[in-house]
């Protein structure tokens, strides 16, 4: 076992560790798109007589239900609906009057070959930076007492992820972590959809 | 120096194996507990379903026990949080939707039981496929009023990258439980058997 062999092995090992760290941890930064901003609940048009509502939430990945993500985000979504002031009470079980608010949040990739990009960034130790964007489409569907067809509103949002040496995406705010980015996105996209719902004459008519 | 070299080699080997395990997977993963689906809540409400209970769900007779125990996707094993039984997972999916629709009543005279007959998922490079089938039986005070096998399937573009293909495949597979419950709630004969 020569000294030079050991030295080489150590170097290879260091390189592998750094490469693995770059690939595994990603050296990624997350940015919440700036085009969709938070709308304060005070700006919603509050109904004259708010009624109770049952909320059903589903997170989807490319249009397919994602049970794991649904579980994680459900409390945030329910909290947001409660804070809206549009309903007298918000439940996960059936409510008097039978009103149902369905919230679907669909994650659609806006960038192709995300893995390939990240892999190249990892292999070049971040010198070849890359950016990937995830789009989110929030669809709220409200079926009030006595209504035969639901009121449907949609809002859109995006989270951008950069890896390695690449410029910050324009019109976006850097988040401290992926969790913070996702929770901000949920709050902002929900506020837009709920605001639109509150201003729909059919919603007002059903809550008078 | 030789001793150092051997230790270093061992550490390098352990590190390499750990990294390989982490990258390749071989994980045992519990499925997330089912949550009610808005589509199925609406179907149950629109279908005029009356109070109903959910009875025993088990593996159909003559089927291999492994069908109920797990599904495997590229060396990752997924199992049910309910006694490692996928037929019980189907029962819980049904309960979640019926409960959210306000029609699940444990003491109801009408009861739904079921038998899992098919559960597959495959995520090779190219097209992924998954299927789920079960026999549903409704009994009203011991009298059989509905007995039918229903099935559903999915196919999708499956990535060559495991980190993308595996989550996609498990999402597609788990979504079949809601789809199958939806098929049941849509069936006019089932609606008749459990009508208010």
């Amino acid at each position: 076992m020569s000294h030079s062999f050991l030295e080489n092995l150590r170097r290879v090992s260091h390189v592998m560790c750094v490469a693995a760290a770059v690939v595994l941890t990603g050296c990624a930064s997350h940015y919440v798109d700036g085009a969709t901003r938070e709308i304060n609940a005070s700006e919603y048009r509050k109904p004259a007589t708010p009624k109770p509502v049952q909320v059903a939430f589903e997170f989807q990945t490319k249009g397919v239900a994602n049970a794991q993500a649904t579980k994680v985000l459900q409390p945030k979504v329910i909290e947001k609906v409660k804070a809206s002031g549009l309903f007298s009470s918000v439940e996960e079980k059936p409510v008097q009057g039978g009103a149902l608010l369905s919230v679907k949040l669909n994650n659609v990739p806006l960038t192709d070959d995300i893995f390939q990009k990240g892999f190249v960034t990892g292999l070049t130790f971040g010198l070849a930076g890359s950016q990937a964007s995830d789009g989110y489409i929030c669809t709220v569907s409200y079926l009030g007492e006595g209504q035969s067809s639901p009121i449907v509103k949609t809002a859109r949002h995006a989270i951008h992820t950069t890896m390695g040496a690449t410029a910050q995406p324009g019109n976006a705010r850097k988040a401290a972590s992926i969790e913070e980015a996702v929770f901000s996105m949920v709050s902002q996209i929900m506020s837009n959809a709920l605001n639109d719902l509150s201003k729909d004459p059919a919603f007002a008519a059903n809550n008078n | 120096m030789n001793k150092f070299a051997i230790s270093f080699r061992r550490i390098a080997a352990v590190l390499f194996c750990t990294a390989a395990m982490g990258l390749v997977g071989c994980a045992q993963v519990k499925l997330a507990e089912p949550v009610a689906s808005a589509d199925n809540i609406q179907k149950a409400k629109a279908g005029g379903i009356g109070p109903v209970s959910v009875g025993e769900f088990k593996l159909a007779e003559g089927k291999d026990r492994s069908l109920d125990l797990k599904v495997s996707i590229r060396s990752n094993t997924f199992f049910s949080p309910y006694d490692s039984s996928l037929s019980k997972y189907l029962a819980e999916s049904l309960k979640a939707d019926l409960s959210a629709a306000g029609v699940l009543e444990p003491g109801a005279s009408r009861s739904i039981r079921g038998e899992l007959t098919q559960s597959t998922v495959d995520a090779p490079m190219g097209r992924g496929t998954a299927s789920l089938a079960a026999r549903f039986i409704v009994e009203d005070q011991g009298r059989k009023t509905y007995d039918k096998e229903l099935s559903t399937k999915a196919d999708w573009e499956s990535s060559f990258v495991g980190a993308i293909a595996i989550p996609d495949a498990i999402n597609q597979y788990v979504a079949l439980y809601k789809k199958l419950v939806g098929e049941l709630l849509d069936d006019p004969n089932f609606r008749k058997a459990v009508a208010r």
Side-chain angles (χ1 to χ4, degrees):
Chain A
M1 187 70 56
S2 70
H3 179 75
S4 65
F5 175 76
L6 272 177
E7 203 48 48
N8 282 340
L9 188 62
R10 211 173 300 162
R11 275 189 195 143
V12 169
S13 160
H14 283 162
V15 168
M16 280 182 71
C17 281
V18 175
V22 171
V23 170
L24 293 173
T25 62
C27 293
S29 299
H30 306 282
Y31 298 84
V32 182
D33 195 88
T36 304
R37 297 192 175 275
E38 181 81 30
I39 298 176
N40 200 292
S42 61
E43 293 178 44
Y44 302 167
R45 189 170 296 153
K46 299 285 162 46
T49 320
K51 292 183 176 156
V53 76
Q54 175 183 8
V55 176
F57 170 65
E58 184 174 277
F59 186 91
Q60 302 175 331
T61 304
K62 290 179 263 182
V64 178
N66 182 330
Q68 201 77 44
T70 300
K71 249 334 191 211
V72 173
L73 293 176
Q74 193 171 35
K76 296 281 172 196
V77 168
I78 290 178
E79 194 181 294
K80 196 72 191 173
V81 178
K82 279 182 179 169
S84 72
L86 299 178
F87 308 98
S88 60
S89 69
V90 177
E91 309 283 344
E92 289 175 67
K93 56 182 193 298
V95 293
Q96 196 179 6
L100 178 67
L101 182 74
S102 153
V103 181
K104 286 183 184 170
L105 189 54
N106 187 13
N107 173 206
V108 286
L110 302 176
T111 313
D112 291 333
D113 300 326
I114 291 171
F115 186 85
Q116 196 181 351
K117 284 184 168 187
F119 194 71
V120 170
T121 301
L123 281 179
T124 59
F125 306 112
L127 289 175
S130 54
Q131 183 190 318
S133 295
D134 273 282
Y136 296 88
I137 303 165
C138 177
T139 306
V140 297
S141 172
Y142 176 77
L143 191 64
E145 187 177 3
Q147 286 181 317
S148 54
S149 56
I151 306 164
V152 180
K153 300 291 170 192
T154 57
R156 288 163 191 271
H157 212 327
I159 292 176
H160 311 288
T161 301
T162 62
M163 286 161 283
T166 190
Q168 175 175 338
N171 192 24
R173 181 187 62 80
K174 189 173 182 179
S177 64
I178 181 65
E179 288 83 7
E180 205 252 316
V182 171
F183 291 157
S184 294
M185 176 276 295
V186 169
S187 180
Q188 291 166 1
I189 200 169
M190 286 285 298
S191 75
N192 279 263
L194 289 170
N195 181 50
D196 287 351
L197 176 69
S198 78
K199 287 174 179 158
D200 190 303
F203 180 76
N206 194 259
N207 289 275
N208 265 330
Chain B
M1 189 56 161
N2 199 28
K3 207 173 170 186
F4 171 76
I6 291 167
S7 302
F8 188 82
R9 223 179 300 163
R10 276 189 191 148
I11 291 168
V14 168
L15 272 171
F16 186 79
C17 288
T18 309
M21 291 270 288
L23 292 171
V24 173
C26 303
Q28 300 246 340
V29 185
K30 201 195 300 187
L31 296 177
E33 287 168 23
V35 289
S37 128
D39 293 341
N40 286 348
I41 295 171
Q42 278 169 344
K43 281 179 184 181
K45 284 184 170 182
I49 295 173
V52 68
S53 66
V54 173
E56 188 190 18
F57 272 64
K58 60 180 185 181
L59 180 67
E61 258 181 54
K63 297 287 178 185
D64 195 295
R65 171 127 173 78
S66 64
L67 188 86
D68 195 37
L69 282 179
K70 60 182 168 55
V71 285
S72 298
I73 305 167
R74 297 196 189 180
S75 80
N76 288 260
T77 303
F78 294 84
F79 62 95
S80 159
Y82 308 105
D83 300 332
S84 292
S85 163
L86 293 170
S87 48
K88 286 185 182 171
Y89 192 77
L90 178 59
E92 293 302 321
S93 298
L94 177 61
K95 279 183 191 173
D97 288 338
L98 294 176
S99 173
V103 295
L104 182 69
E105 212 175 281
S109 62
R110 284 177 301 192
S111 177
I112 309 167
R113 58 185 177 86
E115 293 177 359
L116 187 70
T117 55
Q118 195 179 2
S119 162
T120 67
V121 59
D122 192 20
M125 283 180 266
R127 294 301 298 170
T129 56
S131 66
L132 188 71
R135 181 179 164 213
F136 294 93
I137 298 142
V138 177
E139 284 176 335
D140 192 346
Q141 293 176 325
R143 191 173 57 91
K144 202 184 281 183
T145 54
Y146 177 86
D147 185 346
K148 195 170 181 180
E149 185 178 1
L150 299 173
S151 64
T152 187
K153 59 186 178 180
D155 69 290
W156 64 96
E157 196 182 319
S158 179
S159 171
F160 79 99
V161 181
I164 296 169
I166 296 166
D168 276 357
I170 202 62
N171 283 343
Q172 293 277 356
Y173 172 74
V174 171
L176 290 184
Y177 285 81
K178 290 296 171 192
K179 266 178 86 177
L180 192 62
V181 170
E183 298 266 336
L184 179 70
L185 298 172
D186 274 338
D187 186 340
N189 291 327
F190 172 77
R191 288 183 175 195
K192 200 174 151 193
V194 294
R196 216 174 277 136

